[in-house]
Amino acid sequence: MEATKDREHLLSLKVMRLTKPSLFSDSKVLVDSHDLAGALQHTLAGKMWAAEGIDQFPIGDLLTLPQSFGNIFLGETFTSCISVHNESEQQVKEVTIKTDLQTSSQRASLPGNAAEVTPELPPDASIDDIISHEVKELGTHILVCAVSYTTLSNEKLYFRKFFKFQVLKPIEVKTKFYNVEDDEIYLETQIQNITSSPICMEKVALEPSSAYSVQNLNNTESGTTCSDITYLSPLDTRQFLYCLCPQTPAEGASDSKASQGMTVVGRLDIIWKSHMGERGRLQTSSLQRMAPGYGDIRLEVTRLPDVAEVEKTVNATCRLTNCVERKMELSLALQSVHQAGLFWCGIVSRQLGQLDAGCSLDLELKLLFTRSGLQV
């Protein structure tokens, strides 16, 4: 993070990003105690950064502060310390600090915890303020810090500094929809860690739209379907599965029209933590699916037993739905399949009359099977 150069002022401005520290790591050289370097290794065994009882472990008990600006990922909270220091030998007054964060689409003001105006700032004194902002956009971000003050001669001075940084993408989210005959929708979600360090998934939830209810298929009575481990190493991927059921349509609305109009199913809410506990959150945009096309007439089987006895009639219920915006004249013709041993009983050819747009008609039918086995 580098600031742009400006004219000489009585005050100086410094910006430091506040991040979690990391565990101190040390390179280990393992030698035998009888070698020449064995005595040196014995001397270093009691070093202050070594974990007790595991001297050769590369990670110790000490924490180290970040040595660089580091990476900022989408969904994380960007926190910085703004410090204004009076480097002159004279007192200044009416010191004001204003901080903005500019992206490619907007400019947001970042209010801090310090007072809006500091009446006086003596020599060698400082004003420290902490700002925080949840990053919600990718790409280039510019932190604009503006300082205004008044000298003892009542001269009003003003200067700005710009700090540029990039916001990276932490996870890759892929979704896929599966449609079934009873209007249920199965949503498969794949989440991949594309950072260079491990993360821990804390929450992955699907927030459905008002047209759907959701069932989480990742949890069972004995735990989760995959595993209880939510740890994701770099480039690791985890899958999640949800079942969406359409809500009962409002009175006067048809099922077919409602099904064709439901394109927004909801959005995903994902929360994770980095390996040092930094929290990140990402909410996807509204997930949309392409409503399946049923043509002019939709046929679905609403009732059929799983098991049928040979040479005994079976009752079945089918539903016909008019999916167009006009009335339709319907006629029914049933054809038996002799090779499969399936025969229709009763009247196999008749007129059903008119079916209004968006309306449904239930048909009670009878079947007879003459062969055993699985029928599709």
Side-chain angles (χ1 to χ4, degrees):
M1 183 187 272
E2 297 182 355
T4 57
K5 295 183 180 180
D6 207 337
R7 54 164 287 187
E8 292 292 333
H9 282 272
L10 302 179
L11 304 181
S12 65
L13 171 67
K14 294 183 179 180
V15 176
M16 180 180 69
R17 183 190 174 195
L18 302 181
T19 59
K20 298 282 187 180
S22 58
L23 292 171
F24 177 80
S25 60
D26 184 26
S27 300
K28 300 295 179 181
V29 180
L30 300 180
V31 297
D32 191 272
S33 59
H34 298 288
D35 291 341
L36 294 177
L40 178 61
Q41 183 181 10
H42 179 74
T43 303
L44 296 177
K47 55 188 178 297
M48 61 179 297
W49 62 81
E52 184 178 356
I54 47 174
D55 295 335
Q56 304 305 322
F57 194 67
I59 298 179
D61 292 335
L62 295 182
L63 297 175
T64 60
L65 293 176
Q67 303 300 310
S68 62
F69 182 75
N71 295 323
I72 299 181
F73 294 101
L74 182 69
E76 292 183 345
T77 300
F78 171 70
T79 305
S80 288
C81 176
I82 311 295
S83 180
V84 175
H85 182 70
N86 186 357
E87 297 182 338
S88 67
E89 296 181 356
Q90 59 176 295
Q91 179 175 284
V92 297
K93 56 184 178 179
E94 298 177 358
V95 181
T96 303
I97 306 173
K98 184 180 179 182
T99 308
D100 294 333
L101 187 62
Q102 183 174 341
T103 66
S104 59
S105 62
Q106 62 177 349
R107 182 166 181 162
S109 178
L110 307 181
N113 300 321
E116 294 185 0
V117 179
T118 302
E120 296 179 350
L121 187 62
D124 204 28
S126 300
I127 302 174
D128 297 326
D129 197 8
I130 295 177
I131 58 170
S132 296
H133 180 74
E134 184 178 352
V135 180
K136 299 181 179 180
E137 290 186 39
L138 292 171
T140 303
H141 287 57
I142 302 176
L143 184 66
V144 183
C145 300
V147 179
S148 62
Y149 61 96
T150 304
T151 64
L152 294 178
S153 58
N154 290 328
E155 181 185 5
K156 293 186 177 182
L157 299 177
Y158 169 85
F159 68 93
R160 291 190 304 173
K161 286 191 176 182
F162 303 89
F163 303 88
K164 183 185 296 187
F165 59 91
Q166 294 287 332
V167 174
L168 307 177
K169 193 175 183 180
I171 57 177
E172 184 75 36
V173 181
K174 297 180 180 179
T175 58
K176 189 174 182 180
F177 290 102
Y178 301 91
N179 299 303
V180 295
E181 284 297 325
D182 57 356
D183 289 336
E184 288 184 347
I185 304 171
Y186 288 90
L187 172 63
E188 176 192 352
T189 301
Q190 295 183 0
I191 299 178
Q192 183 183 29
N193 176 16
I194 57 176
T195 67
S196 59
S197 58
I199 62 175
C200 182
M201 304 302 298
E202 199 171 74
K203 175 187 175 184
V204 179
L206 176 62
E207 299 177 352
S209 63
S210 59
Y212 290 93
S213 61
V214 64
Q215 179 184 0
N216 188 351
L217 301 180
N218 305 293
N219 299 324
T220 61
E221 295 180 357
S222 58
T224 61
T225 55
C226 299
S227 66
D228 294 331
I229 301 176
T230 57
Y231 179 90
L232 273 182
S233 296
L235 300 181
D236 277 1
T237 302
R238 278 204 64 181
Q239 293 176 309
F240 300 87
L241 186 63
Y242 302 92
C243 178
L244 291 147
C245 301
Q247 300 279 23
T248 304
E251 185 178 355
S254 63
D255 290 346
S256 62
K257 293 180 69 175
S259 298
Q260 292 175 359
M262 293 179 189
T263 56
V264 178
V265 300
R267 62 180 181 178
L268 289 167
D269 186 13
I270 305 170
I271 300 177
W272 70 91
K273 285 186 177 180
S274 68
H275 62 294
M276 294 304 294
E278 291 178 295
R279 186 173 181 268
R281 182 180 183 182
L282 179 64
Q283 286 186 320
T284 64
S285 56
S286 297
L287 301 177
Q288 296 185 348
R289 73 173 184 111
M290 182 64 69
Y294 299 109
D296 294 344
I297 293 291
R298 180 184 179 185
L299 172 65
E300 55 183 325
V301 179
T302 58
R303 183 173 64 91
L304 184 66
D306 296 331
V307 179
E309 296 185 20
V310 177
E311 298 183 354
K312 286 189 177 181
T313 58
V314 175
N315 293 324
T317 303
C318 296
R319 177 172 296 170
L320 293 173
T321 304
N322 184 358
C323 298
V324 296
E325 299 295 330
R326 65 181 187 276
K327 293 182 180 181
M328 300 193 70
E329 189 76 27
L330 302 180
S331 60
L332 176 66
L334 302 175
Q335 295 182 351
S336 300
V337 184
H338 299 273
Q339 295 83 357
L342 185 152
F343 297 89
W344 297 100
C345 302
I347 302 174
V348 296
S349 179
R350 57 190 169 118
Q351 295 293 326
L352 300 179
Q354 288 188 344
L355 184 62
D356 292 336
C359 293
S360 299
L361 175 65
D362 289 338
L363 301 176
E364 298 294 336
L365 305 173
K366 287 187 178 182
L367 297 117
L368 178 68
F369 296 98
T370 59
R371 291 185 181 180
S372 60
L374 179 63
Q375 304 290 337
V376 181

